[in-house]
Amino acid sequence: MNVISGISGFDLVQRARKVAAVAGKFADDVDRHGRFPAEAVAAMKAEGLLGIQVPVELGGIGASIAEVAETCSLISQECASSSMILAMHHIKLSSLIAHGRGDAWHEGFMRRVADEQLLLASATTEAGIGGNLRNSICSIEVDGDTCRLTKEASVISYGAHADAILITSRANKDAAPSDQVMTVFLNGQYTLEKTHDWDTLGMRGTCSEGFLFKGEAPSRQIIPQPFAEIAAESMLAVCHLLWSGVWYGIAVNAVSRAQAFVRGAARANPGSVPPGALRVAEVAAKLHLVKASITASIQDYERVKADPAHAISIAFLVDMNSLKVTSSEMVIEIVDQAMIVCGIAGYKNGTPFSLGRHLRDAHSSRVMISNDRILANSANMLLVHKLDTSLLG
Amino acid sequence: MKQDIREILAKLGGLPVSVDTISDSADLYTAGLSSFASVQLMLGLEDKFDIEIPDHLLNRRSFASIDAIAETVSAVRAGQEAA
Ligand SMILES: Cc1cc2nc3c(=O)[nH]c(=O)nc-3n(C[C@H](O)[C@H](O)[C@H](O)COP(=O)(O)OP(=O)(O)OC[C@H]3O[C@@H](n4cnc5c(N)ncnc54)[C@H](O)[C@@H]3O)c2cc1C
């Protein structure tokens, strides 16, 4: 756990564990009723987890993406929906930190996120566009000091519970679909008219309902950099890293349950190796692959970020896409195999070995920006990018 | 060279406006160059100028304007001649 020990006076792991305990207590209820995990989010706010990434000068503790990913993974082991909410909040925050520095309004807003533990939501998905977040139909209207936006946002996780929504649109009414900006709208500056329910297989607690968004705010709340840069330089990578952290948490908890099941069987029958043990070994190897792939990608990200002269290359984007596709495919496979180990005890709800929620939550990973869409994007980039053939890079 | 770049851009850039209306220094992403089209543009440039763009130049900045593309192509050519 040495990645996290660097933050003095703020025991992130201990705080994350406290939040995880609360999240775990309500996880089944949140899942059953498809409700917002209010208790877990209140605990996150109480422990200050919504502001950890904010730079120290602006009132946070300047936590790295590695530290945020570890926090997400710890909470995900108890409740993946709660963890995904924290991850999505920090993805939005990372864009602000990477692109809002030096801008008075956005710096003030980051300070408020840390001080008041504001929860940020994201509205990139648009009716008629789906997961192609680098295109918008709607456009923002800038009228002097005021901007106005109407968007058919078909998925906004915890939209009804957020303190602010970061929303993409075309930069003006004449802009090309890919010429986009992202704007911060504070709760009170927008109305949400619900258009789609969120009654899903898994990740039921993210409450990712669809809304007709209508907002009006001071135009200085538009992030100055084009969204194309935000997406390429920080958001895509951070998305794939933090999502993978959440999915890893689901997988590692499933493997722990399978292991506990087999250990119980071994103890009940000393002198023999239970049949499930081999499968646990097999699934542990897959888990190791996911972990290695996430930690290597985090290191890559930190390296690229530490060198401001280094422009984000196609090689980096292909690697981050590969991480998303691999970890999402693998988490489903891992939970599925863990369920075979636990047998009926895994299939049933309400046992210490239940894996139904894990499996359903894991299945969100491939559709959360469709893997086919991501592969198509990599396929295009691989037409020009030559793979690095060295082992150590 | 810029004329050649303009021709490739017109063919592969998928821009919603005519390339003639875009100045050499204008931001192509603002003009509507998508990430998909930017890769197609890179392929077109490699073919036209018989170059292989090395990985460290395969980034958004290298293709952000007609000027930037010209610089990128020149840098690659200079590198290939030196090699
Ligand atoms: C748990 C969860 C939380 C979410 N939270 C948010 C949120 O807070 N804010 C937000 O904005 N969005 C959110 N989303 C939505 C997400 O970002 C994607 O937009 C959404 O999952 C894509 O939906 P889609 O499958 O309808 O669309 P599409 O991406 O259009 O995919 C539909 C189908 O078409 C195929 N397809 C389409 N285009 C291509 C292509 N070019 N290449 C290959 N295949 C293609 C896909 O394979 C897929 O089968 C969330 C999603 C989930 C699962």
Side-chain angles (χ1 to χ4, degrees):
Chain A
M1 200 102 329
N2 55 0
V3 284
I4 286 196
S5 58
I7 304 175
S8 55
F10 191 98
D11 193 336
L12 194 50
V13 171
Q14 202 190 341
R15 286 170 189 249
R17 290 223 160 96
K18 268 199 211 164
V19 173
V22 176
K25 205 166 138 196
F26 296 97
D28 283 333
D29 189 67
V30 162
D31 177 53
R32 191 167 309 119
H33 298 106
R35 70 163 175 89
F36 182 67
E39 302 85 355
V41 172
M44 289 173 201
K45 293 186 174 195
E47 296 301 329
L49 295 190
L50 299 188
I52 50 175
Q53 211 191 152
V54 173
V56 177
E57 323 75 275
L58 297 176
I61 60 164
S64 65
I65 288 303
E67 287 158 338
V68 178
E70 179 76 275
T71 306
C72 289
S73 163
L74 285 168
I75 296 170
S76 187
Q77 292 171 41
E78 297 299 328
C79 174
S81 286
S82 299
S83 170
M84 188 50 94
I85 291 171
L86 183 66
M88 290 191 278
H89 162 85
H90 276 289
I91 291 162
K92 290 296 112 181
L93 191 50
S94 76
S95 295
L96 276 173
I97 293 167
H99 306 278
R101 294 305 299 274
D103 176 273
W105 191 86
H106 292 95
E107 288 201 345
F109 179 62
M110 283 182 249
R111 192 177 283 285
R112 281 190 62 194
V113 171
D115 290 350
E116 300 167 36
Q117 294 290 305
L118 302 181
L119 180 64
L120 313 183
S122 166
T124 56
T125 305
E126 184 172 13
I129 289 214
N132 187 6
L133 61 93
R134 284 290 293 98
N135 268 294
S136 288
I137 298 172
C138 67
S139 63
I140 196 156
E141 177 199 338
V142 181
D143 177 5
D145 292 340
T146 304
C147 65
R148 282 180 211 98
L149 176 62
T150 298
K151 178 169 182 167
E152 284 187 56
S154 43
V155 194
I156 309 182
S157 293
Y158 51 93
H161 305 271
D163 299 307
I165 297 179
L166 278 72
I167 186 164
T168 52
S169 63
R170 286 186 295 128
N172 56 65
K173 71 175 179 16
D174 301 316
S178 62
D179 179 13
Q180 298 161 289
V181 290
M182 185 156 73
T183 307
V184 181
F185 283 90
L186 305 174
N187 193 332
Q189 293 176 331
Y190 55 79
T191 57
L192 296 174
E193 187 189 311
K194 191 162 134 185
T195 52
H196 300 78
D197 280 331
W198 184 254
D199 181 5
T200 47
L201 182 66
M203 286 293 181
R204 296 174 54 80
T206 58
C207 298
S208 313
E209 296 164 334
F211 300 96
L212 177 65
F213 173 101
K214 283 188 186 160
E216 182 175 316
S219 15
R220 60 177 187 276
Q221 292 178 211
I222 302 172
I223 300 179
Q225 270 92 346
F227 179 66
E229 279 172 29
I230 300 176
E233 285 171 24
S234 67
M235 200 179 105
L236 287 177
V238 174
C239 257
H240 295 171
L241 292 170
L242 294 188
W243 288 353
S244 295
V246 174
W247 301 331
Y248 177 77
I250 301 174
V252 77
N253 189 258
V255 174
S256 302
R257 287 183 183 211
Q259 200 187 6
F261 182 85
V262 167
R263 219 186 286 125
R267 251 191 252 119
N269 233 330
S272 70
V273 176
L278 196 75
R279 194 148 255 147
V280 169
E282 194 179 36
V283 86
K286 289 186 179 164
L287 187 67
H288 175 75
L289 266 182
V290 176
K291 181 172 174 165
S293 159
I294 298 173
T295 51
S297 302
I298 287 178
Q299 277 170 13
D300 248 13
Y301 173 79
E302 302 286 4
R303 186 178 45 75
V304 167
K305 209 176 133 198
D307 176 8
H310 187 106
I312 297 289
S313 67
I314 281 191
F316 177 76
L317 294 174
V318 168
D319 284 352
M320 291 296 145
N321 279 353
S322 302
L323 170 70
K324 193 276 178 180
V325 172
T326 308
S327 54
S328 60
E329 297 283 349
M330 296 281 283
V331 62
I332 296 171
E333 216 176 292
I334 289 169
V335 178
D336 188 49
Q337 291 194 4
M339 193 180 269
I340 298 176
V341 175
C342 297
I344 195 79
Y347 192 68
K348 262 184 174 170
N349 294 324
T351 85
F353 310 105
S354 298
L355 288 170
R357 173 162 52 83
H358 296 65
L359 191 63
R360 289 183 290 102
D361 286 344
H363 267 282
S364 68
S365 62
R366 281 191 305 215
V367 297
M368 198 167 179
I369 307 289
S370 157
N371 276 4
D372 281 356
R373 202 184 264 287
I374 291 179
L375 284 172
N377 182 268
S378 284
N380 185 44
M381 293 193 282
L382 281 165
L383 293 176
V384 287
H385 159 60
K386 276 75 58 191
L387 276 178
D388 179 358
T389 53
S390 71
L391 175 62
L392 299 180
Chain B
M1 172 169 34
K2 286 190 184 159
Q3 201 41 49
D4 287 336
I5 293 174
R6 283 178 176 277
E7 273 167 30
I8 298 168
L9 195 56
K11 201 162 70 188
L12 302 172
L15 300 177
V17 293
S18 159
V19 176
D20 302 334
T21 64
I22 298 173
S23 73
D24 285 352
S25 61
D27 187 304
L28 293 177
Y29 300 108
T30 307
L33 183 65
S34 69
S35 35
F36 178 81
S38 71
V39 169
Q40 297 301 318
L41 178 67
M42 292 173 197
L43 282 170
L45 292 164
E46 289 196 333
D47 187 51
K48 173 81 196 174
F49 295 108
D50 193 23
I51 51 175
E52 208 167 278
I53 304 167
D55 245 13
H56 71 276
L57 292 176
L58 290 177
N59 59 53
R60 290 175 53 80
R61 257 182 249 162
S62 309
F63 302 88
S65 63
I66 292 171
D67 283 339
I69 295 173
E71 248 174 69
T72 302
V73 172
S74 305
V76 178
R77 279 179 160 172
Q80 284 183 354
E81 274 157 28

